[in-house]
Amino acid sequence: MERFEGTILKGETFEPIRGQVIIDNGEITAVEEESNSSTDIILPTFVNAHTHLGDSVATEAAVGLSLTEAVVPPDSLKHRRLDTADRETLIESMYRTLGFMQSTGTGACLDFRESGISGTTALRSAASKRELTTFIFGSGEGTVLRVADGYGASGATDADFSAQRTAARMADAPFGIHAGEPDASDIYPALALEPDLLVHMVHAEAEHLNEIASESIPVVVCPRANQVLDVGRPPIRELLDHTTVALGTDNVMLNPPSMFREMAYTAKHFDVTAREVLQMATIAGAEAIGLNRGVIDVGRQAALLVIDGDSNNLSRAVDPIQAIVRRAGPLDVRRVVL
């Protein structure tokens, strides 16, 4: 049994309370209000809802390239690098990126893994040596679902994914797909596949938003990657008004998978509150895959991020939620509990 004292961002609304969190056997067993002298801020670990960890073999290699040149299959720089990387290098690179993510407060990630079964098993090998949860959306043929947790499609106009969609449904596994990144042309074809998760939706329009709302399809936005690739700005406010929205960092090649950076960028460049951004970075991603975390409450998995509220960076912060979302960084992390 362990106890953590300080200011707790409790429940789905992250209401700050003074108290303690008690965990036992990997589960939160109590959240108690009581006075204490701790300056720590305790919140759920982040859920990075969209990554491409295979990109770890070539970080910053795509600087200055367009979306097509950088990441679009099959001939982009990314895919050429993946094709030529040996398995040992790939696993080691992903392992190190997972280490960075874990040390900076990410307790789970949803990864779209290229290269079919071999790509999925390589990531399984890398993730087995880390404590954070890695949920793998596999690629290629539907048979990848024998080893992956779900299926991740590149885009509805890249190929016919109907067989893979059927395979995911039969396996009771989530089907995710990129949509609306360069333009809106692939959104309706993606929606026709009845996805469980949409990624990007930069060019979502009113009719798309209404259909997403009617089908309750969660969306993952990756605003920093969209900015780097110059594809536009996701309509985050409008998306939040229609459905659950989670936050992801996307291609490791383009940006470090830091949820601190993603939150600060989102809070400062979009019409959203700090509380909404923190929800996007925690509970929204967890709910998308049925993960029992992202919230500090009794019965949830013990996945806690302990922040030093008296660090040189945060010591004068007047609002703990604003401080975490807009200002905190890796140097403020005191402990990651998984």
Side-chain angles (χ1 to χ4, degrees), residues 13 41 51 86 97 106 121 138 170 178 198 213 221 227 240 256 271:
T13 62
I41 303 171
T51 59
D86 64 83
T97 296
T106 293
T121 56
M170 292 179 65
H178 298 79
L198 290 164
V221 294
Q227 192 275 330
L240 281 167
D271 179 21

PDB file of all heavy atoms in Angstrom, residues 13 41 51 86 97 106 121 138 170 178 198 213 221 227 240 256 271:
ATOM      1  N   THR A  13     -13.686  15.912 -13.458  1.00  0.00           N
ATOM      2  CA  THR A  13     -13.612  17.369 -13.587  1.00  0.00           C
ATOM      3  C   THR A  13     -12.313  17.935 -13.029  1.00  0.00           C
ATOM      4  O   THR A  13     -12.086  19.139 -13.111  1.00  0.00           O
ATOM      5  CB  THR A  13     -14.791  18.033 -12.858  1.00  0.00           C
ATOM      6  OG1 THR A  13     -14.710  17.723 -11.461  1.00  0.00           O
ATOM      7  CG2 THR A  13     -16.113  17.552 -13.431  1.00  0.00           C
ATOM      8  N   ILE A  41       1.446  18.134  -6.627  1.00  0.00           N
ATOM      9  CA  ILE A  41       0.182  18.100  -7.363  1.00  0.00           C
ATOM     10  C   ILE A  41       0.058  16.692  -7.943  1.00  0.00           C
ATOM     11  O   ILE A  41       0.975  16.206  -8.624  1.00  0.00           O
ATOM     12  CB  ILE A  41       0.151  19.147  -8.491  1.00  0.00           C
ATOM     13  CG1 ILE A  41       0.398  20.550  -7.934  1.00  0.00           C
ATOM     14  CG2 ILE A  41      -1.183  19.095  -9.238  1.00  0.00           C
ATOM     15  CD1 ILE A  41       0.602  21.601  -9.010  1.00  0.00           C
ATOM     16  N   THR A  51       0.111   7.955 -31.593  1.00  0.00           N
ATOM     17  CA  THR A  51       1.546   7.994 -31.865  1.00  0.00           C
ATOM     18  C   THR A  51       1.872   7.107 -33.058  1.00  0.00           C
ATOM     19  O   THR A  51       1.088   6.243 -33.448  1.00  0.00           O
ATOM     20  CB  THR A  51       2.372   7.506 -30.647  1.00  0.00           C
ATOM     21  OG1 THR A  51       1.981   6.156 -30.323  1.00  0.00           O
ATOM     22  CG2 THR A  51       2.174   8.401 -29.444  1.00  0.00           C
ATOM     23  N   ASP A  86      16.824  -2.125 -39.577  1.00  0.00           N
ATOM     24  CA  ASP A  86      16.848  -3.509 -39.114  1.00  0.00           C
ATOM     25  C   ASP A  86      16.031  -3.624 -37.827  1.00  0.00           C
ATOM     26  O   ASP A  86      15.810  -2.647 -37.111  1.00  0.00           O
ATOM     27  CB  ASP A  86      18.279  -3.991 -38.893  1.00  0.00           C
ATOM     28  CG  ASP A  86      18.996  -3.231 -37.792  1.00  0.00           C
ATOM     29  OD1 ASP A  86      18.801  -3.588 -36.612  1.00  0.00           O
ATOM     30  OD2 ASP A  86      19.736  -2.277 -38.101  1.00  0.00           O
ATOM     31  N   THR A  97      12.104   5.747 -27.034  1.00  0.00           N
ATOM     32  CA  THR A  97      11.014   6.720 -27.077  1.00  0.00           C
ATOM     33  C   THR A  97       9.979   6.428 -26.002  1.00  0.00           C
ATOM     34  O   THR A  97       9.474   7.346 -25.341  1.00  0.00           O
ATOM     35  CB  THR A  97      10.347   6.718 -28.462  1.00  0.00           C
ATOM     36  OG1 THR A  97      11.303   7.157 -29.439  1.00  0.00           O
ATOM     37  CG2 THR A  97       9.153   7.652 -28.508  1.00  0.00           C
ATOM     38  N   THR A 106       3.559  10.062 -19.319  1.00  0.00           N
ATOM     39  CA  THR A 106       2.605   9.293 -20.109  1.00  0.00           C
ATOM     40  C   THR A 106       2.514   7.874 -19.565  1.00  0.00           C
ATOM     41  O   THR A 106       3.524   7.175 -19.468  1.00  0.00           O
ATOM     42  CB  THR A 106       3.005   9.272 -21.592  1.00  0.00           C
ATOM     43  OG1 THR A 106       2.887  10.599 -22.121  1.00  0.00           O
ATOM     44  CG2 THR A 106       2.111   8.348 -22.401  1.00  0.00           C
ATOM     45  N   THR A 121       4.817  -6.997 -33.656  1.00  0.00           N
ATOM     46  CA  THR A 121       5.616  -7.799 -32.731  1.00  0.00           C
ATOM     47  C   THR A 121       6.888  -7.064 -32.305  1.00  0.00           C
ATOM     48  O   THR A 121       7.357  -7.238 -31.175  1.00  0.00           O
ATOM     49  CB  THR A 121       5.973  -9.162 -33.344  1.00  0.00           C
ATOM     50  OG1 THR A 121       6.656  -8.971 -34.592  1.00  0.00           O
ATOM     51  CG2 THR A 121       4.720  -9.990 -33.584  1.00  0.00           C
ATOM     52  N   GLY A 138      -2.700  -2.286 -35.260  1.00  0.00           N
ATOM     53  CA  GLY A 138      -1.865  -2.885 -36.295  1.00  0.00           C
ATOM     54  C   GLY A 138      -2.277  -2.461 -37.693  1.00  0.00           C
ATOM     55  O   GLY A 138      -3.278  -1.765 -37.899  1.00  0.00           O
ATOM     56  N   MET A 170     -15.151  -8.723 -36.137  1.00  0.00           N
ATOM     57  CA  MET A 170     -15.236 -10.126 -35.729  1.00  0.00           C
ATOM     58  C   MET A 170     -14.339 -10.414 -34.526  1.00  0.00           C
ATOM     59  O   MET A 170     -14.643 -11.278 -33.697  1.00  0.00           O
ATOM     60  CB  MET A 170     -14.865 -11.036 -36.906  1.00  0.00           C
ATOM     61  CG  MET A 170     -15.872 -11.011 -38.045  1.00  0.00           C
ATOM     62  SD  MET A 170     -15.386 -12.075 -39.424  1.00  0.00           S
ATOM     63  CE  MET A 170     -15.464 -13.689 -38.634  1.00  0.00           C
ATOM     64  N   HIS A 178      -7.212   7.354 -39.999  1.00  0.00           N
ATOM     65  CA  HIS A 178      -6.908   8.754 -40.250  1.00  0.00           C
ATOM     66  C   HIS A 178      -7.967   9.318 -41.204  1.00  0.00           C
ATOM     67  O   HIS A 178      -8.371   8.638 -42.151  1.00  0.00           O
ATOM     68  CB  HIS A 178      -5.541   8.906 -40.929  1.00  0.00           C
ATOM     69  CG  HIS A 178      -4.382   8.416 -40.117  1.00  0.00           C
ATOM     70  ND1 HIS A 178      -4.058   7.087 -40.016  1.00  0.00           N
ATOM     71  CD2 HIS A 178      -3.451   9.102 -39.394  1.00  0.00           C
ATOM     72  CE1 HIS A 178      -2.979   6.959 -39.252  1.00  0.00           C
ATOM     73  NE2 HIS A 178      -2.595   8.156 -38.856  1.00  0.00           N
ATOM     74  N   LEU A 198     -11.541   8.153 -34.921  1.00  0.00           N
ATOM     75  CA  LEU A 198     -11.074   8.966 -36.033  1.00  0.00           C
ATOM     76  C   LEU A 198      -9.868   9.779 -35.581  1.00  0.00           C
ATOM     77  O   LEU A 198      -9.855  10.303 -34.457  1.00  0.00           O
ATOM     78  CB  LEU A 198     -12.170   9.915 -36.514  1.00  0.00           C
ATOM     79  CG  LEU A 198     -13.363   9.285 -37.232  1.00  0.00           C
ATOM     80  CD1 LEU A 198     -14.525  10.272 -37.286  1.00  0.00           C
ATOM     81  CD2 LEU A 198     -12.982   8.835 -38.637  1.00  0.00           C
ATOM     82  N   ALA A 213     -21.297  13.143 -34.207  1.00  0.00           N
ATOM     83  CA  ALA A 213     -22.080  13.253 -32.983  1.00  0.00           C
ATOM     84  C   ALA A 213     -23.170  12.184 -32.923  1.00  0.00           C
ATOM     85  O   ALA A 213     -23.386  11.566 -31.875  1.00  0.00           O
ATOM     86  CB  ALA A 213     -22.694  14.646 -32.887  1.00  0.00           C
ATOM     87  N   VAL A 221      -7.077  14.514 -31.907  1.00  0.00           N
ATOM     88  CA  VAL A 221      -6.445  15.624 -32.622  1.00  0.00           C
ATOM     89  C   VAL A 221      -4.961  15.682 -32.276  1.00  0.00           C
ATOM     90  O   VAL A 221      -4.552  15.313 -31.179  1.00  0.00           O
ATOM     91  CB  VAL A 221      -7.124  16.972 -32.293  1.00  0.00           C
ATOM     92  CG1 VAL A 221      -8.544  16.995 -32.809  1.00  0.00           C
ATOM     93  CG2 VAL A 221      -7.088  17.267 -30.798  1.00  0.00           C
ATOM     94  N   GLN A 227       0.412  21.436 -37.562  1.00  0.00           N
ATOM     95  CA  GLN A 227       1.098  22.699 -37.805  1.00  0.00           C
ATOM     96  C   GLN A 227       2.421  22.478 -38.532  1.00  0.00           C
ATOM     97  O   GLN A 227       2.742  23.174 -39.497  1.00  0.00           O
ATOM     98  CB  GLN A 227       1.327  23.427 -36.473  1.00  0.00           C
ATOM     99  CG  GLN A 227       1.764  24.866 -36.590  1.00  0.00           C
ATOM    100  CD  GLN A 227       3.265  25.026 -36.765  1.00  0.00           C
ATOM    101  OE1 GLN A 227       4.032  24.198 -36.274  1.00  0.00           O
ATOM    102  NE2 GLN A 227       3.686  26.078 -37.441  1.00  0.00           N
ATOM    103  N   LEU A 240     -15.178  19.337 -29.817  1.00  0.00           N
ATOM    104  CA  LEU A 240     -15.555  19.143 -28.417  1.00  0.00           C
ATOM    105  C   LEU A 240     -17.051  19.342 -28.198  1.00  0.00           C
ATOM    106  O   LEU A 240     -17.654  18.716 -27.315  1.00  0.00           O
ATOM    107  CB  LEU A 240     -14.777  20.106 -27.525  1.00  0.00           C
ATOM    108  CG  LEU A 240     -13.338  19.727 -27.191  1.00  0.00           C
ATOM    109  CD1 LEU A 240     -12.600  20.910 -26.586  1.00  0.00           C
ATOM    110  CD2 LEU A 240     -13.299  18.529 -26.243  1.00  0.00           C
ATOM    111  N   PRO A 256       8.640  15.569 -30.588  1.00  0.00           N
ATOM    112  CA  PRO A 256       8.824  14.667 -29.450  1.00  0.00           C
ATOM    113  C   PRO A 256       7.455  14.340 -28.855  1.00  0.00           C
ATOM    114  O   PRO A 256       6.572  15.196 -28.813  1.00  0.00           O
ATOM    115  CB  PRO A 256       9.668  15.489 -28.470  1.00  0.00           C
ATOM    116  CG  PRO A 256       9.423  16.914 -28.846  1.00  0.00           C
ATOM    117  CD  PRO A 256       9.208  16.906 -30.330  1.00  0.00           C
ATOM    118  N   ASP A 271      -9.513  27.618 -28.868  1.00  0.00           N
ATOM    119  CA  ASP A 271     -10.576  28.094 -27.987  1.00  0.00           C
ATOM    120  C   ASP A 271     -11.019  26.967 -27.056  1.00  0.00           C
ATOM    121  O   ASP A 271     -12.103  26.381 -27.189  1.00  0.00           O
ATOM    122  CB  ASP A 271     -11.751  28.593 -28.828  1.00  0.00           C
ATOM    123  CG  ASP A 271     -12.909  29.092 -27.972  1.00  0.00           C
ATOM    124  OD1 ASP A 271     -12.681  29.419 -26.793  1.00  0.00           O
ATOM    125  OD2 ASP A 271     -14.041  29.135 -28.495  1.00  0.00           O
TER     126      ASP A 271
END
